Amino acid sequence: MSELVVSALDRKFLLHARKPFVEVGLMFGVAPEFVAERLNILLSSEGVLSDRQEERLLLLEVSDLKDEVLKRLRDVEDRDFAAVANVALRALKIIGERLDSRRKLVDADLQSIGEAQAKLFGRAFDKALSHIVQTLSGEQSPELVDAVVSDGLRLAVRELEASVVES
């Protein structure tokens, strides 16, 4: 089986996957049937969505379910109120658990980013200090110390700039 090629239009479809096919078709000038067929292929293919995109779609589906249940709750008869309310509570619980899970992932990502930045700054500072220590041995004039420290800091800046990733 050949690997699925995801086009720029496909990515736009995925961004709007929860909207009605007619609406998405009008947005991009294609038939709603094409949108439905393409989204069916994309969403049933492994590796098209990232874990976070799948998580977001799941949250949107549960949120839609919750909204539908809350609408029904307004019009439900007294004898059915508890059952419908229970479904709404379960949907809210799922959303809460997913959001907690997502928060933990974001916290872990932030922790990793912070650790990587700390290592990077440590390397740059170490490079600057190594330059200063290697250059200065014994008593030196304040002007020379200032010049060597400036050179060391420039080395640190170059080290940091070499690690910058443009987005």
Side-chain angles (χ1 to χ4, degrees):
M1 181 179 197
S2 64
E3 188 172 318
L4 179 68
V5 176
V6 180
S7 69
L9 184 59
D10 290 338
R11 284 190 290 279
K12 290 177 183 177
F13 286 171
L14 289 169
L15 287 173
H16 300 284
R18 298 295 305 148
K19 294 181 180 174
F21 300 138
V22 172
E23 185 179 334
V24 177
L26 287 173
M27 282 181 183
F28 301 108
V30 296
E33 296 79 17
F34 177 75
V35 175
E37 179 183 337
R38 195 64 192 155
L39 279 172
N40 184 40
I41 291 168
L42 292 167
L43 294 173
S44 62
S45 300
E46 287 189 28
V48 172
L49 296 178
S50 70
D51 289 343
R52 292 190 184 202
Q53 287 173 319
E54 287 183 13
E55 176 83 10
R56 186 169 186 279
L57 278 175
L58 177 62
L59 275 173
L60 289 170
E61 288 173 2
V62 172
S63 182
D64 288 349
L65 170 66
K66 176 215 32 123
D67 291 343
E68 181 64 32
V69 170
L70 289 177
K71 282 181 197 171
R72 290 183 185 196
L73 199 56
R74 291 183 195 108
D75 300 326
V76 74
E77 294 180 19
D78 288 343
R79 63 182 161 85
D80 297 325
F81 187 85
V84 175
N86 190 28
V87 172
L89 288 173
R90 279 191 260 160
L92 290 171
K93 182 180 179 191
I94 290 170
I95 291 171
E97 289 170 354
R98 290 294 184 183
L99 291 175
D100 286 345
S101 173
R102 178 175 281 176
R103 182 182 46 84
K104 289 175 185 173
L105 288 173
V106 169
D107 288 347
D109 287 348
L110 290 174
Q111 178 71 26
S112 295
I113 291 168
E115 289 170 1
Q117 287 178 333
K119 288 176 185 175
L120 175 63
F121 279 104
R123 280 196 319 264
F125 190 71
D126 187 50
K127 194 169 209 165
L129 285 179
S130 293
H131 172 76
I132 293 167
V133 169
Q134 288 172 0
T135 305
L136 298 176
S137 57
E139 292 276 327
Q140 303 295 331
S141 69
E143 294 81 21
L144 179 59
V145 171
D146 287 344
V148 171
V149 168
S150 292
D151 287 344
L153 291 176
R154 276 192 283 281
L155 286 171
V157 167
R158 277 192 230 123
E159 179 77 15
L160 292 171
E161 287 175 345
S163 299
V164 171
V165 176
E166 298 292 330
S167 56

